[in-house]
Amino acid sequence: FSENGDWGTTSGILDANRRGVNFTGPSMWPGDMSIYAQVGFPPTSQINGSHLDMVHQSPLAMGMCAVQGNEYFVFDGFHGNLTYYDFGIGHPPGGHDHSDASVIHYPEVELKRDPTGYLVGHMEMDAERKWLYVVDTDRQRVLKVNTKSGTNQRGSSIAQMHGEPLQFYGEKKGVEWKVLAKDNLQKPCGLAINENRLFISDNETNEIICFDTESGNELGRIEVQADELMGICIGPEGHLWYVDYGSSEVFKVIPSK
């Protein structure tokens, strides 16, 4: 979710239209529940559901994080890098004009998706410091990216796909980034930030592990009840919540006194 109330999704698949080509990418949706899943359902040739925008430059996208407004970062599993999307103004719900969007690849920030397509690679933004934290799933590590660094250039060694019209297509060079954590992670997937603490969920061990965002030192870990531990977040009370994909349940972690 972005601070404007709208939100974005990635599908994690190769072809959204199921026609045998790599035609998919992130979408943006309204947070207004009188519009979402109400307008354009069932879809028609004029109104395609309730989406506010979609761009087809990142098949197999495995994670997404709002920056501000209609700007998002995406785990581009097809091209194997971090990618920035600015959807621009967007269009009326279910519209078709996506041409005011901008797409910028970060080829220096390499990412590798879980080859099974099962595990997502979550990412979160430290809004105050402008650092982006990314779970690089298949390499079993967490990256820290300075989103204020680097220089944009129009055009990219990564070819623009499908001749899709865009306002800007390019890449960013000279990006500052580093590996924040990689030791004792088996199948990291979920990620959450609370001030200077970074929490990672490990699907293999059913553990939630806490790291210091500056040093990358491990501060502690807990094992939770789950069949298939997946995504995590920090709730409004400051407590951890996690998804158990195996049991289709959501749990709240309450600290002991």
Side-chain angles (χ1 to χ4, degrees):
F1 276 87
S2 183
E3 90 289 342
N4 64 9
D6 296 331
W7 53 292
T9 59
T10 56
S11 58
I13 60 175
L14 185 67
D15 177 21
N17 290 341
R18 299 175 177 84
R19 295 175 181 172
V21 295
N22 48 15
F23 189 74
T24 189
S27 300
M28 187 173 67
W29 303 88
D32 185 339
M33 296 303 292
S34 68
I35 298 175
Y36 175 70
Q38 303 298 318
V39 174
F41 283 88
T44 67
S45 59
Q46 290 76 37
I47 304 178
N48 183 17
S50 61
H51 79 284
L52 299 178
D53 219 322
M54 64 172 64
V55 182
H56 306 90
Q57 298 296 316
S58 294
L60 302 176
M62 304 305 294
M64 193 169 186
C65 173
V67 180
Q68 61 181 4
N70 297 341
E71 302 171 54
Y72 295 82
F73 278 107
V74 168
F75 185 132
D76 189 326
F78 183 82
H79 296 107
N81 60 38
L82 179 67
T83 305
Y84 164 89
Y85 279 79
D86 183 349
F87 289 106
I89 298 174
H91 55 55
H96 298 271
D97 185 1
H98 309 135
S99 60
D100 66 339
S102 297
V103 178
I104 301 174
H105 290 283
Y106 284 55
E108 298 162 341
V109 185
E110 297 181 351
L111 302 173
K112 189 175 181 182
R113 67 188 283 270
D114 169 34
T116 68
Y118 180 63
L119 294 178
V120 297
H122 280 193
M123 54 181 70
E124 289 288 341
M125 174 76 79
D126 183 333
E128 180 179 349
R129 300 174 180 85
K130 304 302 181 185
W131 285 97
L132 178 72
Y133 298 87
V134 186
V135 176
D136 188 7
T137 318
D138 197 48
R139 292 191 176 95
Q140 302 168 306
R141 62 183 188 173
V142 179
L143 307 185
K144 181 178 181 179
V145 183
N146 182 357
T147 62
K148 296 185 293 183
S149 66
T151 304
N152 290 339
Q153 65 178 43
R154 186 176 290 273
S156 174
S157 58
I158 299 172
Q160 187 171 336
M161 305 175 74
H162 317 298
E164 185 173 38
L166 296 169
Q167 181 72 26
F168 183 92
Y169 183 84
E171 61 183 36
K172 179 162 281 194
K173 290 293 188 67
V175 177
E176 178 189 0
W177 68 278
K178 66 178 182 179
V179 176
L180 180 71
K182 63 178 181 179
D183 295 333
N184 300 316
L185 293 175
Q186 302 300 317
K187 291 185 177 180
C189 54
L191 183 153
I193 300 173
N194 188 8
E195 297 180 349
N196 64 337
R197 295 182 178 182
L198 184 72
F199 297 88
I200 304 295
S201 60
D202 194 313
N203 175 265
E204 178 72 19
T205 64
N206 275 351
E207 292 176 312
I208 298 176
I209 308 149
C210 180
F211 295 93
D212 183 277
T213 58
E214 295 300 321
S215 66
N217 293 334
E218 181 178 325
L219 302 178
R221 61 177 62 205
I222 59 171
E223 185 174 353
V224 298
Q225 172 188 337
D227 295 326
E228 286 286 345
L229 176 61
M230 288 287 194
I232 59 175
C233 74
I234 304 294
E237 298 174 329
H239 293 158
L240 273 168
W241 294 71
Y242 69 88
V243 171
D244 182 355
Y245 181 79
S247 66
S248 300
E249 294 179 298
V250 177
F251 290 83
K252 178 181 180 180
V253 179
I254 302 175
S256 59
K257 296 181 179 180

